[in-house]
Amino acid sequence: MREGKPHAEPFLRAAWLAGVDPADAVAVDDSVTGVTAGLAAGMRTIFWPEVPMEGPPGAIVINSADELRAELGL
């Protein structure tokens, strides 16, 4: 890897290694830097911060495992 977060490369590489189109992937991260990378990769991006706060524009903010399961339809 050449670029770290907030660059999209970590998430794009993960999608490539998994054989998944980034547009069909979900990135979940607990940092603004990580969420910025997920958004830059074109992924549906979920922000799960350690303490409740707003996320970057375009991110889905959750605050519990129940919210995560609901967002993912599990």
Side-chain angles (χ1 to χ4, degrees):
M1 182 168 46
R2 296 175 190 199
E3 299 285 342
K5 298 174 186 175
H7 194 277
E9 185 178 358
F11 285 110
L12 292 174
R13 180 161 174 75
W16 178 79
L17 289 169
V20 176
D21 185 320
D24 295 329
V26 177
V28 179
D29 208 291
D30 66 346
S31 71
V32 172
T33 304
V35 169
T36 301
L39 292 168
M43 296 179 172
R44 179 175 161 206
T45 304
I46 298 173
F47 180 43
W48 188 355
E50 290 185 31
V51 294
M53 67 177 70
E54 290 187 30
I60 300 160
V61 180
I62 59 142
N63 291 295
S64 70
D66 287 336
E67 288 180 18
L68 179 63
R69 282 190 288 273
E71 189 61 44
L72 296 176
L74 303 174

Short mmCIF file of all heavy atoms in Angstrom, two decimals:
data_model
loop_
_atom_site.label_atom_id
_atom_site.label_comp_id
_atom_site.label_asym_id
_atom_site.label_seq_id
_atom_site.Cartn_x
_atom_site.Cartn_y
_atom_site.Cartn_z
N MET A 1 0.84 -1.16 0.00
CA MET A 1 0.00 0.00 0.00
C MET A 1 0.90 1.24 0.00
O MET A 1 1.87 1.31 0.72
CB MET A 1 -0.91 -0.03 1.23
CG MET A 1 -1.84 1.11 1.30
SD MET A 1 -3.16 0.96 2.52
CE MET A 1 -2.32 0.40 3.97
N ARG A 2 0.51 2.18 -0.81
CA ARG A 2 1.31 3.40 -0.92
C ARG A 2 0.70 4.56 -0.15
O ARG A 2 1.40 5.42 0.33
CB ARG A 2 1.45 3.79 -2.38
CG ARG A 2 2.21 2.76 -3.16
CD ARG A 2 2.24 3.10 -4.60
NE ARG A 2 2.78 1.94 -5.31
CZ ARG A 2 3.27 1.99 -6.51
NH1 ARG A 2 3.28 3.11 -7.17
NH2 ARG A 2 3.74 0.91 -7.08
N GLU A 3 -0.62 4.60 -0.10
CA GLU A 3 -1.32 5.70 0.57
C GLU A 3 -2.16 5.15 1.71
O GLU A 3 -2.81 4.13 1.58
CB GLU A 3 -2.26 6.41 -0.42
CG GLU A 3 -1.56 7.04 -1.60
CD GLU A 3 -0.83 8.32 -1.26
OE1 GLU A 3 -1.11 8.93 -0.22
OE2 GLU A 3 0.04 8.71 -2.06
N GLY A 4 -2.15 5.83 2.84
CA GLY A 4 -2.98 5.44 3.97
C GLY A 4 -4.22 6.32 4.05
O GLY A 4 -4.40 7.23 3.25
N LYS A 5 -5.06 6.02 5.00
CA LYS A 5 -6.24 6.83 5.22
C LYS A 5 -5.80 8.25 5.55
O LYS A 5 -4.79 8.42 6.22
CB LYS A 5 -7.06 6.26 6.38
CG LYS A 5 -7.57 4.86 6.13
CD LYS A 5 -8.23 4.33 7.40
CE LYS A 5 -8.64 2.89 7.26
NZ LYS A 5 -9.16 2.35 8.51
N PRO A 6 -6.46 9.25 5.05
CA PRO A 6 -7.79 9.33 4.48
C PRO A 6 -7.86 9.07 2.98
O PRO A 6 -8.92 9.24 2.38
CB PRO A 6 -8.23 10.76 4.80
CG PRO A 6 -6.98 11.54 4.71
CD PRO A 6 -5.92 10.61 5.27
N HIS A 7 -6.77 8.64 2.38
CA HIS A 7 -6.80 8.27 0.96
C HIS A 7 -7.67 7.03 0.79
O HIS A 7 -7.75 6.19 1.68
CB HIS A 7 -5.37 8.00 0.47
CG HIS A 7 -5.25 7.94 -1.01
ND1 HIS A 7 -5.53 6.80 -1.71
CD2 HIS A 7 -4.90 8.87 -1.91
CE1 HIS A 7 -5.34 7.02 -3.00
NE2 HIS A 7 -4.97 8.28 -3.15
N ALA A 8 -8.28 6.88 -0.35
CA ALA A 8 -9.18 5.75 -0.62
C ALA A 8 -8.46 4.42 -0.77
O ALA A 8 -9.09 3.36 -0.67
CB ALA A 8 -9.98 6.04 -1.89
N GLU A 9 -7.15 4.43 -1.00
CA GLU A 9 -6.43 3.21 -1.34
C GLU A 9 -6.65 2.02 -0.40
O GLU A 9 -6.87 0.90 -0.88
CB GLU A 9 -4.93 3.48 -1.48
CG GLU A 9 -4.18 2.24 -1.95
CD GLU A 9 -2.69 2.46 -2.15
OE1 GLU A 9 -2.20 3.58 -1.96
OE2 GLU A 9 -2.02 1.48 -2.49
N PRO A 10 -6.63 2.19 0.93
CA PRO A 10 -6.83 1.01 1.78
C PRO A 10 -8.16 0.30 1.51
O PRO A 10 -8.21 -0.94 1.45
CB PRO A 10 -6.77 1.57 3.19
CG PRO A 10 -5.95 2.81 3.07
CD PRO A 10 -6.31 3.38 1.73
N PHE A 11 -9.23 1.07 1.34
CA PHE A 11 -10.53 0.46 1.09
C PHE A 11 -10.63 -0.08 -0.33
O PHE A 11 -11.22 -1.14 -0.56
CB PHE A 11 -11.66 1.45 1.38
CG PHE A 11 -11.90 1.64 2.85
CD1 PHE A 11 -11.58 2.83 3.48
CD2 PHE A 11 -12.43 0.62 3.63
CE1 PHE A 11 -11.79 3.01 4.83
CE2 PHE A 11 -12.66 0.78 4.99
CZ PHE A 11 -12.33 1.99 5.59
N LEU A 12 -10.04 0.62 -1.29
CA LEU A 12 -10.06 0.12 -2.67
C LEU A 12 -9.27 -1.18 -2.78
O LEU A 12 -9.69 -2.10 -3.48
CB LEU A 12 -9.50 1.18 -3.63
CG LEU A 12 -10.36 2.43 -3.78
CD1 LEU A 12 -9.62 3.47 -4.64
CD2 LEU A 12 -11.72 2.10 -4.38
N ARG A 13 -8.15 -1.25 -2.09
CA ARG A 13 -7.36 -2.49 -2.12
C ARG A 13 -8.12 -3.64 -1.47
O ARG A 13 -8.11 -4.76 -1.97
CB ARG A 13 -6.02 -2.28 -1.43
CG ARG A 13 -5.15 -3.52 -1.42
CD ARG A 13 -3.71 -3.19 -1.17
NE ARG A 13 -2.89 -4.37 -1.02
CZ ARG A 13 -2.50 -5.17 -2.00
NH1 ARG A 13 -2.86 -4.91 -3.23
NH2 ARG A 13 -1.74 -6.23 -1.76
N ALA A 14 -8.77 -3.37 -0.36
CA ALA A 14 -9.56 -4.42 0.31
C ALA A 14 -10.66 -4.94 -0.62
O ALA A 14 -10.87 -6.15 -0.72
CB ALA A 14 -10.16 -3.88 1.60
N ALA A 15 -11.34 -4.03 -1.31
CA ALA A 15 -12.39 -4.45 -2.25
C ALA A 15 -11.79 -5.27 -3.38
O ALA A 15 -12.33 -6.30 -3.77
CB ALA A 15 -13.13 -3.23 -2.80
N TRP A 16 -10.67 -4.81 -3.90
CA TRP A 16 -10.00 -5.54 -4.99
C TRP A 16 -9.60 -6.94 -4.54
O TRP A 16 -9.84 -7.92 -5.25
CB TRP A 16 -8.78 -4.75 -5.47
CG TRP A 16 -8.03 -5.43 -6.55
CD1 TRP A 16 -8.34 -5.49 -7.88
CD2 TRP A 16 -6.81 -6.18 -6.39
NE1 TRP A 16 -7.40 -6.22 -8.55
CE2 TRP A 16 -6.45 -6.67 -7.67
CE3 TRP A 16 -6.00 -6.48 -5.31
CZ2 TRP A 16 -5.32 -7.44 -7.87
CZ3 TRP A 16 -4.87 -7.25 -5.51
CH2 TRP A 16 -4.55 -7.71 -6.79
N LEU A 17 -9.01 -7.04 -3.36
CA LEU A 17 -8.59 -8.35 -2.84
C LEU A 17 -9.78 -9.29 -2.63
O LEU A 17 -9.66 -10.50 -2.79
CB LEU A 17 -7.81 -8.19 -1.54
CG LEU A 17 -6.41 -7.60 -1.68
CD1 LEU A 17 -5.84 -7.25 -0.30
CD2 LEU A 17 -5.49 -8.55 -2.42
N ALA A 18 -10.93 -8.71 -2.26
CA ALA A 18 -12.14 -9.52 -2.03
C ALA A 18 -12.91 -9.77 -3.32
O ALA A 18 -13.88 -10.53 -3.32
CB ALA A 18 -13.04 -8.81 -1.02
N GLY A 19 -12.49 -9.13 -4.41
CA GLY A 19 -13.18 -9.29 -5.68
C GLY A 19 -14.55 -8.62 -5.69
O GLY A 19 -15.47 -9.11 -6.34
N VAL A 20 -14.66 -7.51 -4.98
CA VAL A 20 -15.93 -6.80 -4.85
C VAL A 20 -15.80 -5.41 -5.46
O VAL A 20 -14.80 -4.72 -5.26
CB VAL A 20 -16.31 -6.67 -3.36
CG1 VAL A 20 -17.56 -5.84 -3.17
CG2 VAL A 20 -16.45 -8.03 -2.72
N ASP A 21 -16.82 -5.00 -6.19
CA ASP A 21 -16.86 -3.63 -6.71
C ASP A 21 -17.03 -2.70 -5.51
O ASP A 21 -17.91 -2.93 -4.68
CB ASP A 21 -18.05 -3.50 -7.66
CG ASP A 21 -18.12 -2.15 -8.34
OD1 ASP A 21 -17.85 -1.12 -7.68
OD2 ASP A 21 -18.46 -2.12 -9.54
N PRO A 22 -16.21 -1.66 -5.40
CA PRO A 22 -16.35 -0.74 -4.27
C PRO A 22 -17.76 -0.18 -4.11
O PRO A 22 -18.21 0.05 -2.99
CB PRO A 22 -15.34 0.37 -4.57
CG PRO A 22 -14.31 -0.29 -5.41
CD PRO A 22 -15.07 -1.30 -6.25
N ALA A 23 -18.47 0.01 -5.20
CA ALA A 23 -19.84 0.52 -5.13
C ALA A 23 -20.78 -0.47 -4.45
O ALA A 23 -21.85 -0.08 -3.98
CB ALA A 23 -20.35 0.86 -6.52
N ASP A 24 -20.39 -1.73 -4.39
CA ASP A 24 -21.21 -2.77 -3.74
C ASP A 24 -20.72 -3.09 -2.33
O ASP A 24 -21.26 -3.99 -1.68
CB ASP A 24 -21.19 -4.05 -4.57
CG ASP A 24 -21.84 -3.88 -5.93
OD1 ASP A 24 -22.78 -3.05 -6.04
OD2 ASP A 24 -21.41 -4.55 -6.88
N ALA A 25 -19.70 -2.39 -1.87
CA ALA A 25 -19.10 -2.66 -0.57
C ALA A 25 -19.58 -1.68 0.49
O ALA A 25 -20.08 -0.60 0.17
CB ALA A 25 -17.57 -2.58 -0.68
N VAL A 26 -19.41 -2.08 1.73
CA VAL A 26 -19.72 -1.22 2.87
C VAL A 26 -18.45 -1.06 3.68
O VAL A 26 -17.81 -2.04 4.05
CB VAL A 26 -20.83 -1.84 3.76
CG1 VAL A 26 -21.08 -0.96 4.97
CG2 VAL A 26 -22.10 -2.05 2.96
N ALA A 27 -18.09 0.19 3.96
CA ALA A 27 -16.96 0.48 4.84
C ALA A 27 -17.52 0.90 6.19
O ALA A 27 -18.43 1.72 6.26
CB ALA A 27 -16.11 1.60 4.25
N VAL A 28 -16.99 0.32 7.26
CA VAL A 28 -17.38 0.70 8.61
C VAL A 28 -16.12 1.14 9.32
O VAL A 28 -15.13 0.41 9.35
CB VAL A 28 -18.03 -0.47 9.38
CG1 VAL A 28 -18.41 -0.04 10.79
CG2 VAL A 28 -19.23 -1.02 8.63
N ASP A 29 -16.14 2.34 9.88
CA ASP A 29 -14.95 2.84 10.56
C ASP A 29 -15.36 3.69 11.75
O ASP A 29 -16.47 4.22 11.77
CB ASP A 29 -14.09 3.66 9.59
CG ASP A 29 -12.63 3.64 9.96
OD1 ASP A 29 -12.28 4.23 11.00
OD2 ASP A 29 -11.83 3.03 9.23
N ASP A 30 -14.45 3.82 12.72
CA ASP A 30 -14.75 4.60 13.92
C ASP A 30 -14.04 5.94 13.96
O ASP A 30 -14.11 6.65 14.95
CB ASP A 30 -14.40 3.79 15.17
CG ASP A 30 -12.91 3.53 15.31
OD1 ASP A 30 -12.16 3.74 14.33
OD2 ASP A 30 -12.49 3.10 16.40
N SER A 31 -13.36 6.29 12.87
CA SER A 31 -12.65 7.57 12.83
C SER A 31 -13.09 8.39 11.63
O SER A 31 -13.49 7.84 10.59
CB SER A 31 -11.14 7.35 12.78
OG SER A 31 -10.77 6.85 11.51
N VAL A 32 -13.00 9.70 11.77
CA VAL A 32 -13.33 10.59 10.65
C VAL A 32 -12.37 10.32 9.49
O VAL A 32 -12.78 10.30 8.33
CB VAL A 32 -13.28 12.07 11.10
CG1 VAL A 32 -13.41 13.01 9.92
CG2 VAL A 32 -14.38 12.34 12.12
N THR A 33 -11.11 10.06 9.80
CA THR A 33 -10.12 9.77 8.76
C THR A 33 -10.51 8.52 7.98
O THR A 33 -10.46 8.51 6.75
CB THR A 33 -8.72 9.59 9.39
OG1 THR A 33 -8.41 10.76 10.13
CG2 THR A 33 -7.67 9.35 8.33
N GLY A 34 -10.90 7.47 8.67
CA GLY A 34 -11.30 6.24 8.01
C GLY A 34 -12.57 6.40 7.20
O GLY A 34 -12.69 5.88 6.09
N VAL A 35 -13.53 7.12 7.76
CA VAL A 35 -14.79 7.34 7.04
C VAL A 35 -14.54 8.18 5.79
O VAL A 35 -15.12 7.91 4.73
CB VAL A 35 -15.82 8.01 7.98
CG1 VAL A 35 -17.04 8.48 7.22
CG2 VAL A 35 -16.23 7.03 9.05
N THR A 36 -13.65 9.13 5.88
CA THR A 36 -13.29 9.93 4.71
C THR A 36 -12.72 9.04 3.62
O THR A 36 -13.02 9.20 2.44
CB THR A 36 -12.30 11.04 5.11
OG1 THR A 36 -12.91 11.86 6.11
CG2 THR A 36 -11.89 11.88 3.93
N ALA A 37 -11.91 8.07 4.00
CA ALA A 37 -11.34 7.12 3.04
C ALA A 37 -12.42 6.25 2.41
O ALA A 37 -12.41 6.02 1.20
CB ALA A 37 -10.28 6.24 3.72
N GLY A 38 -13.35 5.77 3.20
CA GLY A 38 -14.44 4.95 2.67
C GLY A 38 -15.29 5.73 1.68
O GLY A 38 -15.66 5.22 0.61
N LEU A 39 -15.61 6.97 2.02
CA LEU A 39 -16.39 7.81 1.11
C LEU A 39 -15.61 8.08 -0.18
O LEU A 39 -16.17 8.02 -1.28
CB LEU A 39 -16.76 9.13 1.79
CG LEU A 39 -17.76 9.02 2.95
CD1 LEU A 39 -17.81 10.33 3.72
CD2 LEU A 39 -19.14 8.62 2.44
N ALA A 40 -14.30 8.34 -0.04
CA ALA A 40 -13.47 8.59 -1.23
C ALA A 40 -13.39 7.36 -2.13
O ALA A 40 -13.23 7.48 -3.35
CB ALA A 40 -12.06 9.01 -0.80
N ALA A 41 -13.54 6.18 -1.53
CA ALA A 41 -13.50 4.94 -2.31
C ALA A 41 -14.83 4.67 -3.01
O ALA A 41 -14.95 3.72 -3.78
CB ALA A 41 -13.14 3.76 -1.40
N GLY A 42 -15.84 5.48 -2.72
CA GLY A 42 -17.14 5.30 -3.35
C GLY A 42 -17.99 4.21 -2.71
O GLY A 42 -18.91 3.70 -3.32
N MET A 43 -17.67 3.89 -1.47
CA MET A 43 -18.40 2.85 -0.76
C MET A 43 -19.51 3.45 0.10
O MET A 43 -19.43 4.60 0.53
CB MET A 43 -17.45 2.08 0.17
CG MET A 43 -16.38 1.34 -0.56
SD MET A 43 -15.30 0.50 0.61
CE MET A 43 -14.31 -0.45 -0.52
N ARG A 44 -20.53 2.65 0.34
CA ARG A 44 -21.51 3.01 1.37
C ARG A 44 -20.70 2.99 2.66
O ARG A 44 -20.07 1.98 3.00
CB ARG A 44 -22.61 1.96 1.39
CG ARG A 44 -23.66 2.19 2.40
CD ARG A 44 -24.75 1.14 2.20
NE ARG A 44 -25.57 1.03 3.39
CZ ARG A 44 -26.23 -0.04 3.72
NH1 ARG A 44 -26.20 -1.12 2.97
NH2 ARG A 44 -26.95 -0.06 4.81
N THR A 45 -20.70 4.09 3.38
CA THR A 45 -19.78 4.25 4.51
C THR A 45 -20.54 4.52 5.80
O THR A 45 -21.35 5.44 5.87
CB THR A 45 -18.77 5.38 4.21
OG1 THR A 45 -18.11 5.07 2.98
CG2 THR A 45 -17.75 5.49 5.31
N ILE A 46 -20.24 3.70 6.80
CA ILE A 46 -20.88 3.81 8.10
C ILE A 46 -19.85 4.28 9.13
O ILE A 46 -18.78 3.70 9.25
CB ILE A 46 -21.48 2.45 8.53
CG1 ILE A 46 -22.56 2.03 7.52
CG2 ILE A 46 -22.05 2.53 9.94
CD1 ILE A 46 -23.11 0.64 7.74
N PHE A 47 -20.21 5.33 9.82
CA PHE A 47 -19.37 5.91 10.87
C PHE A 47 -19.91 5.47 12.22
O PHE A 47 -21.05 5.76 12.57
CB PHE A 47 -19.39 7.44 10.74
CG PHE A 47 -18.56 8.19 11.75
CD1 PHE A 47 -17.29 7.76 12.10
CD2 PHE A 47 -19.04 9.34 12.32
CE1 PHE A 47 -16.52 8.48 13.00
CE2 PHE A 47 -18.29 10.08 13.23
CZ PHE A 47 -17.01 9.65 13.57
N TRP A 48 -19.09 4.74 12.98
CA TRP A 48 -19.46 4.27 14.31
C TRP A 48 -18.42 4.81 15.29
O TRP A 48 -17.47 4.13 15.66
CB TRP A 48 -19.51 2.76 14.35
CG TRP A 48 -20.05 2.15 15.60
CD1 TRP A 48 -20.43 2.80 16.76
CD2 TRP A 48 -20.29 0.77 15.85
NE1 TRP A 48 -20.88 1.91 17.69
CE2 TRP A 48 -20.81 0.65 17.15
CE3 TRP A 48 -20.12 -0.37 15.09
CZ2 TRP A 48 -21.14 -0.58 17.71
CZ3 TRP A 48 -20.45 -1.59 15.65
CH2 TRP A 48 -20.96 -1.68 16.94
N PRO A 49 -18.61 6.06 15.72
CA PRO A 49 -17.61 6.67 16.61
C PRO A 49 -17.69 6.10 18.02
O PRO A 49 -18.71 5.56 18.43
CB PRO A 49 -18.01 8.15 16.59
CG PRO A 49 -19.48 8.14 16.33
CD PRO A 49 -19.72 6.95 15.43
N GLU A 50 -16.60 6.27 18.75
CA GLU A 50 -16.56 5.80 20.14
C GLU A 50 -17.54 6.57 21.01
O GLU A 50 -18.10 6.03 21.96
CB GLU A 50 -15.15 5.92 20.70
CG GLU A 50 -14.19 4.92 20.09
CD GLU A 50 -12.83 4.97 20.74
OE1 GLU A 50 -12.74 5.28 21.95
OE2 GLU A 50 -11.86 4.69 20.04
N VAL A 51 -17.71 7.84 20.73
CA VAL A 51 -18.70 8.67 21.43
C VAL A 51 -19.59 9.29 20.37
O VAL A 51 -19.13 9.62 19.28
CB VAL A 51 -18.03 9.77 22.29
CG1 VAL A 51 -17.24 9.16 23.43
CG2 VAL A 51 -17.16 10.67 21.47
N PRO A 52 -20.88 9.42 20.63
CA PRO A 52 -21.78 9.98 19.63
C PRO A 52 -21.33 11.35 19.13
O PRO A 52 -20.95 12.22 19.91
CB PRO A 52 -23.11 10.10 20.37
CG PRO A 52 -23.05 9.04 21.43
CD PRO A 52 -21.59 9.04 21.86
N MET A 53 -21.30 11.49 17.81
CA MET A 53 -20.95 12.75 17.17
C MET A 53 -21.42 12.70 15.72
O MET A 53 -21.75 11.62 15.22
CB MET A 53 -19.44 12.98 17.22
CG MET A 53 -18.62 12.00 16.38
SD MET A 53 -16.84 12.31 16.35
CE MET A 53 -16.38 11.89 18.01
N GLU A 54 -21.45 13.85 15.09
CA GLU A 54 -21.81 13.90 13.68
C GLU A 54 -20.65 13.36 12.85
O GLU A 54 -19.49 13.47 13.24
CB GLU A 54 -22.12 15.33 13.26
CG GLU A 54 -23.40 15.86 13.85
CD GLU A 54 -23.76 17.22 13.29
OE1 GLU A 54 -23.41 17.52 12.13
OE2 GLU A 54 -24.38 17.99 14.03
N GLY A 55 -20.99 12.80 11.71
CA GLY A 55 -19.97 12.29 10.81
C GLY A 55 -19.81 13.19 9.61
O GLY A 55 -20.57 14.15 9.43
N PRO A 56 -18.84 12.88 8.77
CA PRO A 56 -18.65 13.64 7.54
C PRO A 56 -19.89 13.53 6.64
O PRO A 56 -20.60 12.52 6.68
CB PRO A 56 -17.44 12.96 6.88
CG PRO A 56 -16.74 12.26 7.99
CD PRO A 56 -17.82 11.85 8.95
N PRO A 57 -20.16 14.56 5.85
CA PRO A 57 -21.29 14.49 4.91
C PRO A 57 -21.20 13.24 4.03
O PRO A 57 -20.13 12.92 3.51
CB PRO A 57 -21.15 15.76 4.08
CG PRO A 57 -20.36 16.69 4.94
CD PRO A 57 -19.42 15.81 5.73
N GLY A 58 -22.31 12.55 3.93
CA GLY A 58 -22.38 11.35 3.11
C GLY A 58 -22.24 10.06 3.90
O GLY A 58 -22.57 8.99 3.41
N ALA A 59 -21.74 10.16 5.13
CA ALA A 59 -21.58 8.97 5.97
C ALA A 59 -22.88 8.69 6.72
O ALA A 59 -23.61 9.61 7.09
CB ALA A 59 -20.44 9.15 6.96
N ILE A 60 -23.14 7.43 6.97
CA ILE A 60 -24.26 7.00 7.79
C ILE A 60 -23.72 6.87 9.21
O ILE A 60 -22.75 6.15 9.44
CB ILE A 60 -24.81 5.65 7.30
CG1 ILE A 60 -25.29 5.77 5.86
CG2 ILE A 60 -25.90 5.14 8.22
CD1 ILE A 60 -25.40 4.45 5.13
N VAL A 61 -24.31 7.57 10.16
CA VAL A 61 -23.82 7.55 11.53
C VAL A 61 -24.66 6.59 12.36
O VAL A 61 -25.89 6.65 12.34
CB VAL A 61 -23.87 8.96 12.16
CG1 VAL A 61 -23.36 8.93 13.60
CG2 VAL A 61 -23.05 9.95 11.33
N ILE A 62 -23.98 5.69 13.06
CA ILE A 62 -24.65 4.76 13.97
C ILE A 62 -23.94 4.85 15.32
O ILE A 62 -22.80 5.31 15.41
CB ILE A 62 -24.64 3.32 13.44
CG1 ILE A 62 -23.21 2.83 13.24
CG2 ILE A 62 -25.42 3.20 12.15
CD1 ILE A 62 -23.02 1.41 13.61
N ASN A 63 -24.63 4.39 16.36
CA ASN A 63 -24.05 4.46 17.70
C ASN A 63 -24.20 3.18 18.50
O ASN A 63 -23.93 3.17 19.69
CB ASN A 63 -24.65 5.64 18.46
CG ASN A 63 -24.20 6.97 17.89
OD1 ASN A 63 -23.03 7.29 17.94
ND2 ASN A 63 -25.13 7.71 17.32
N SER A 64 -24.62 2.09 17.84
CA SER A 64 -24.75 0.83 18.58
C SER A 64 -24.73 -0.34 17.61
O SER A 64 -24.94 -0.18 16.40
CB SER A 64 -26.07 0.80 19.36
OG SER A 64 -27.16 0.68 18.47
N ALA A 65 -24.49 -1.51 18.17
CA ALA A 65 -24.51 -2.73 17.35
C ALA A 65 -25.90 -2.97 16.78
O ALA A 65 -26.04 -3.43 15.64
CB ALA A 65 -24.06 -3.93 18.18
N ASP A 66 -26.93 -2.62 17.53
CA ASP A 66 -28.30 -2.78 17.02
C ASP A 66 -28.52 -1.88 15.80
O ASP A 66 -29.13 -2.30 14.82
CB ASP A 66 -29.33 -2.45 18.10
CG ASP A 66 -29.42 -3.52 19.17
OD1 ASP A 66 -29.06 -4.69 18.88
OD2 ASP A 66 -29.85 -3.20 20.29
N GLU A 67 -28.03 -0.65 15.86
CA GLU A 67 -28.15 0.26 14.72
C GLU A 67 -27.38 -0.28 13.51
O GLU A 67 -27.83 -0.17 12.38
CB GLU A 67 -27.66 1.66 15.08
CG GLU A 67 -28.58 2.41 16.01
CD GLU A 67 -28.08 3.79 16.34
OE1 GLU A 67 -27.21 4.33 15.63
OE2 GLU A 67 -28.54 4.36 17.35
N LEU A 68 -26.20 -0.85 13.76
CA LEU A 68 -25.41 -1.42 12.67
C LEU A 68 -26.16 -2.57 12.01
O LEU A 68 -26.27 -2.64 10.79
CB LEU A 68 -24.04 -1.88 13.16
CG LEU A 68 -23.15 -2.52 12.09
CD1 LEU A 68 -22.81 -1.52 10.99
CD2 LEU A 68 -21.88 -3.06 12.73
N ARG A 69 -26.69 -3.48 12.82
CA ARG A 69 -27.45 -4.60 12.26
C ARG A 69 -28.65 -4.11 11.45
O ARG A 69 -28.91 -4.61 10.36
CB ARG A 69 -27.92 -5.53 13.39
CG ARG A 69 -26.82 -6.45 13.91
CD ARG A 69 -27.37 -7.51 14.85
NE ARG A 69 -27.77 -6.94 16.13
CZ ARG A 69 -26.93 -6.76 17.15
NH1 ARG A 69 -25.67 -7.12 17.05
NH2 ARG A 69 -27.37 -6.24 18.29
N ALA A 70 -29.35 -3.11 11.95
CA ALA A 70 -30.50 -2.56 11.24
C ALA A 70 -30.07 -1.93 9.92
O ALA A 70 -30.71 -2.14 8.88
CB ALA A 70 -31.23 -1.54 12.10
N GLU A 71 -28.99 -1.18 9.94
CA GLU A 71 -28.50 -0.52 8.73
C GLU A 71 -28.08 -1.53 7.67
O GLU A 71 -28.26 -1.31 6.48
CB GLU A 71 -27.33 0.42 9.07
CG GLU A 71 -26.89 1.29 7.94
CD GLU A 71 -27.96 2.25 7.45
OE1 GLU A 71 -28.66 2.87 8.26
OE2 GLU A 71 -28.12 2.37 6.21
N LEU A 72 -27.54 -2.66 8.11
CA LEU A 72 -27.09 -3.70 7.19
C LEU A 72 -28.19 -4.72 6.86
O LEU A 72 -27.98 -5.64 6.08
CB LEU A 72 -25.87 -4.43 7.76
CG LEU A 72 -24.63 -3.57 7.96
CD1 LEU A 72 -23.53 -4.39 8.64
CD2 LEU A 72 -24.14 -2.99 6.63
N GLY A 73 -29.34 -4.56 7.48
CA GLY A 73 -30.45 -5.47 7.23
C GLY A 73 -30.23 -6.85 7.80
O GLY A 73 -30.69 -7.85 7.24
N LEU A 74 -29.56 -6.93 8.93
CA LEU A 74 -29.27 -8.22 9.58
C LEU A 74 -30.17 -8.48 10.75
O LEU A 74 -30.62 -7.65 11.43
CB LEU A 74 -27.81 -8.26 10.04
CG LEU A 74 -26.77 -8.02 8.96
CD1 LEU A 74 -25.39 -7.94 9.57
CD2 LEU A 74 -26.82 -9.13 7.94
#
